[in-house]
Amino acid sequence: MILVHKHIIIRAEVKKPIINKSKGRKFLTKLIKTINMKPLYGPVACYCKMEGNKGLTAFAIIETSHIAMHIWDEPNPALVQLDVYTCGPFNPQEVLDVLNVMEPVKVDYKYLDRENNFKELEI
């Protein structure tokens, strides 16, 4: 395998945030399969009940790096921060497509080449 070191960082405002731990694990499992990665550990999900910081955090260690997701459900729309870093090839548009289950109303992202000075790439 040729290492490619690509990283997509997503900030999304969504109508239907995932707040259930089981659904959070299923979301990451689907994402991992969709981008053709292999899980090594997890997905793991936990819900935080702290006032002002309520929401779900989930992560998975994949064979080629990691995926991390934080969802704050108190704001309206809810806020999702999703981070997919891999040294294996993947299609970043597929990551954005999987996010559609939460009905995003606004999505911002950066797709970076971590191999070459964090150059921003087009999707």
Side-chain angles (χ1 to χ4, degrees):
M1 179 178 82
I2 297 172
L3 302 180
V4 293
H5 299 281
K6 299 298 187 273
H7 194 166
I8 187 166
I9 303 165
I10 300 168
R11 180 192 187 280
E13 296 173 7
V14 302
K15 292 181 192 177
K16 294 187 175 181
I18 296 169
I19 58 174
N20 175 282
K21 293 185 291 187
S22 176
K23 288 181 180 179
R25 288 189 300 268
K26 287 178 183 176
F27 176 87
L28 287 189
T29 298
K30 179 179 180 179
L31 176 57
I32 291 165
K33 287 179 183 178
T34 299
I35 63 173
N36 296 312
M37 296 295 153
K38 179 181 175 186
L40 289 182
Y41 183 80
V44 174
C46 192
Y47 188 85
C48 176
K49 296 178 183 179
M50 184 176 81
E51 195 68 36
N53 192 43
K54 290 181 182 176
L56 185 80
T57 294
F59 74 91
I61 298 172
I62 56 177
E63 187 174 59
T64 53
S65 198
H66 73 270
I67 298 173
M69 177 175 66
H70 307 281
I71 301 172
W72 290 267
D73 57 58
E74 289 178 296
N76 187 12
L79 175 62
V80 176
Q81 300 276 7
L82 178 61
D83 179 68
V84 178
Y85 171 53
T86 177
C87 53
F90 75 103
N91 180 344
Q93 183 60 54
E94 291 177 335
V95 178
L96 296 168
D97 292 345
V98 171
L99 189 65
N100 285 336
V101 69
M102 290 189 256
E103 296 185 14
V105 294
K106 181 180 180 188
V107 178
D108 296 308
Y109 63 86
K110 299 279 184 188
Y111 180 44
L112 305 171
D113 182 345
R114 292 179 62 146
E115 182 78 12
N116 297 295
N117 300 315
F118 287 92
K119 178 183 176 186
E120 191 168 345
L121 303 170
E122 296 293 323
I123 293 183

